[in-house]
Amino acid sequence: DTEVTQTPKHLVMGMTNKKSLKCEQHMGHRAMYWYKQKAKKPPELMFVYSYEKLSINESVPSRFSPECPNSSLLNLHLHALQPEDSALYLCASRPGPNETQYFGPGTRLLVL
Amino acid sequence: AQTVTQSQPEMSVQEAETVTLSCTYDTSESDYYLFWYKQPPSRQMILVIRQEAYKQQNATENRFSVNFQKAAKSFSLKISDSQLGDAAMYFCAYRSAIKAAGNKLTFGGGTRVLVKP
């Protein structure tokens, strides 16, 4: 099973809303990632969690707040977003240090 | 910092024909990994093929094969016997083998592949 799941598939929110994106994998992978992808562009790395600890934060604004409650679950909490934050948010996980990243289907976010 | 360049924004291929996508990268490291990912309209990034830099043999995966030229820092993808389901955006990606680099993927800008029936 190489499945990474993400919910919701689509999300529309206002600039004053608080929402969360969820990513889940049950493959025993110990590293999980959040990427942001704008239309017709490659994914941009936001955060990396390794063994449930934040290991990389690519200077992401504080209105994005990641959380890794356990080894299977990764959340991205959203608050006071801007319209330019509208994008596809991809989650990925990786089994081990030299292994490949497996991506989820993404959440398409629209901020009004 | 490493950079990955895909010089072809879009490629068109006839069904059952072959298409080759270009990718070049810039690095001072000797040990690294290269990947091709496919992203169809469904949006999910799907791994197509992976190459370890220390391996001289080119990776193959069914109809997909790569031409890895380490000295030239080139990593092209060949899709043989193209099928309608191959239509997608293809991203070339680089990952350092250095643990401190955090296993970050550096992506190229992507090449859109259109398959004509």
Side-chain angles (χ1 to χ4, degrees):
Chain A
D1 181 11
T2 56
E3 189 177 26
V4 177
T5 60
Q6 289 186 244
T7 53
K9 289 186 179 179
H10 301 274
L11 179 62
V12 180
M13 60 186 290
M15 289 189 285
T16 58
N17 292 156
K18 285 185 180 181
K19 297 285 185 183
S20 296
L21 309 185
K22 179 179 171 182
C23 172
E24 206 159 3
Q25 56 86 14
H26 296 286
M27 299 176 282
H29 293 181
R30 302 315 298 267
M32 297 183 76
Y33 300 73
W34 279 116
Y35 289 86
K36 173 182 178 180
Q37 186 180 22
K38 301 286 276 185
K40 299 183 180 180
K41 296 289 185 183
E44 298 173 5
L45 182 66
M46 300 175 73
F47 303 104
V48 180
Y49 271 82
S50 181
Y51 290 88
E52 296 144 60
K53 291 195 169 117
L54 183 65
S55 59
I56 294 177
N57 177 341
E58 292 287 279
S59 303
V60 178
S62 60
R63 57 186 184 269
F64 295 91
S65 175
E67 179 198 19
C68 190
N70 58 61
S71 60
S72 300
L73 185 58
L74 183 66
N75 297 318
L76 185 62
H77 303 298
L78 314 172
H79 173 55
L81 293 193
Q82 304 296 310
E84 60 264 29
D85 296 322
S86 299
L88 179 68
Y89 288 84
L90 292 164
C91 174
S93 70
R94 173 177 55 77
N98 294 321
E99 299 296 325
T100 301
Q101 289 183 31
Y102 294 94
F103 284 81
T107 293
R108 188 165 297 285
L109 173 67
L110 178 62
V111 181
L112 300 176
Chain B
Q2 294 82 21
T3 58
V4 179
T5 302
Q6 294 178 246
S7 59
Q8 307 148 317
E10 188 174 287
M11 295 285 284
S12 185
V13 61
Q14 204 71 36
E15 198 175 4
E17 301 280 301
T18 295
V19 65
T20 299
L21 311 184
S22 301
C23 174
T24 57
Y25 56 95
D26 187 26
T27 185
S28 58
E29 298 173 344
S30 59
D31 197 13
Y32 48 86
Y33 302 88
L34 295 165
F35 305 85
W36 279 98
Y37 280 92
K38 167 186 176 181
Q39 189 175 37
S42 65
R43 310 171 322 196
Q44 182 149 11
M45 296 279 283
I46 302 165
L47 177 69
V48 175
I49 204 162
R50 158 189 162 131
Q51 175 82 42
E52 289 87 351
Y54 63 85
K55 289 186 178 178
Q56 291 189 340
Q57 187 173 7
N58 289 323
T60 63
E61 196 69 45
N62 300 316
R63 297 181 295 105
F64 298 88
S65 61
V66 296
N67 184 2
F68 173 48
Q69 301 288 328
K70 191 172 184 179
K73 296 179 183 174
S74 170
F75 183 60
S76 61
L77 175 70
K78 183 168 83 171
I79 307 174
S80 303
D81 186 26
S82 297
Q83 300 176 359
L84 294 176
D86 295 333
M89 181 72 87
Y90 286 79
F91 291 100
C92 178
Y94 171 103
R95 196 187 81 207
S96 171
I98 299 172
K99 189 177 180 182
N103 283 284
K104 293 166 59 173
L105 286 172
T106 300
F107 288 93
T111 297
R112 181 168 299 284
V113 172
L114 305 172
V115 181
K116 297 179 181 176

